[in-house]
Amino acid sequence: MQRSPSALVLALLLGLGTATAGVPPTAAAVPAPTSPDASPGNSSGASSDASTARIVAALNRSAHPLRTVEPQGDTDELRPLDRMIGDARVVGIGEATHSSHDFFALKSRIFRHLVEEKGFRTFALEASWSTGLRLNDYVLHGTGDPGRIMSDEFQSDYLWWNNTDFLRLIEWMRAYNVRHPHDPVRFMGDDIGWTGPEVYDAVTGYVARTHPELNARFDELYRGLRPTAATGTYMKHYLDTPYAARKEMAERTGRALRLLTRRSSGADRVAFDRAVQNARAIDRTARQYAFDFDDPAQLAASMRYRDRAMAANVVWWQQHTGTKMLLSAHNAHVAYQTPEPAQYPRMQGAFLRDSFGPAYVNVGLTFDQGSFNATGSDGVIRRRTFGPAAPGSNERTLDQVRYRNYAVDLRTVGSPARAWLAAARPTRSIGTAYPAGPYDIALGRSYDILIHLHHITAARLRGDT
């Protein structure tokens, strides 16, 4: 089934979402042979066995066990992770699939621990800026119903976030703020795939209060852009709009942003900065779609633009709130290296390292076997199951470490595991769609910290998704 340009772009938006031609959906579910970590095309003799054993021994010396992924109970086992994170202001935590309970639950567990033990105060999600503002209003003030907000916002290829694990996290954040009203936690969305009507209203409302002479001009520049349809419908309609029209829309949002930026901030600098950032969010969404998606080079450029814009949103939030942040995204988007340069030239993690240096630390997540939700080439959501990792893969060796689930600081692992981590080899990396991957990834060049889980289960999605 040939995917439409809009379906292709929507799949790419959530990370490594394109289908890999010729890979049967059930291939990875077949249990791997019992030979150790032989590279593809090589025999798995005694020399390979001994090499793998030495690598596993080095990982054993550095690994710290994780008792559970569930977000409750004692978290003393996470104290080694505290030391790995150090003084980082932003910690990016990835996921090897976009819809597995264990990854979502573990992030919730880690965030709660970081809030209570290391002063973190923002949970940032690979969701649109305006979505984050709506959820943040609930977390801070109790405004709206979180389940309804999630159903409204997490549509199309964002629907994976409409799950029971994230709902529980958001409810925990609200309860925390009720107990700590003077030191609240916050929710932030760093993505640009959609900008909701509230953000347009915030910008035009600010203009009406501070520069009423510009009301008519902003109405003209934003003509036809303020969403009046549901999130998923709006995104698909925008992507199906002819390229020339999408370019013209971005030209108008850019003029609006420049017009506002050149105005005086007046007495309230905070309100001005917020209005400019909201106008920037509108412009970034328009520019994300102002590429010719029939041109592979421009499609790749749009993905690079997206990751750079997501990083810029994180930087703005951290600088303006002063909070330490946990950033939740796909493994690829928190990483330093791209797993697929042809479609994703540079990732958010690399841009964040440019901005924060060592104050940005990332955590990759891997797994040996289990299940996840993903769409097929027909667009239907299905639960998929993987058997044990294949010989020659990163996961095959990682799963031989003595702990079922564990964390390891890849920056301090000894030899010969250090050299093994620096080499790229097949690694699972599944976004919105399957089949996808595996991709050749050098774990030690992509992540600072790795958390490996032996077994995962598919997330429980909310509603009729």
Side-chain angles (χ1 to χ4, degrees), residues 245-314:
R246 286 184 274 117
K247 283 184 64 178
E248 189 271 337
M249 293 176 188
E251 290 167 0
R252 286 194 276 127
T253 60
R255 289 198 295 271
L257 175 60
R258 290 190 296 273
L259 186 60
L260 181 59
T261 303
R262 288 197 295 263
R263 296 289 156 166
S264 169
S265 62
D268 192 343
R269 180 74 196 191
V270 172
F272 174 76
D273 288 346
R274 188 183 304 116
V276 170
Q277 174 64 7
N278 283 331
R280 191 177 290 122
I282 291 170
D283 185 54
R284 283 173 173 156
T285 296
R287 292 188 184 281
Q288 167 71 48
Y289 298 137
F291 291 86
D292 182 357
F293 299 126
D294 292 325
D295 179 346
Q298 286 213 36
L299 183 58
S302 75
M303 295 301 114
R304 188 182 195 279
Y305 177 82
R306 179 205 177 197
D307 273 73
R308 185 176 65 186
M310 290 195 295
N313 281 335
V314 171

Side-chain angles (χ1 to χ4, degrees), residues 60 66 97 147 160 175 259 307 344 379 427 432:
N60 277 334
L66 296 177
T97 81
W160 311 110
L259 186 60
D307 273 73
Y344 299 90
T427 310
T432 62

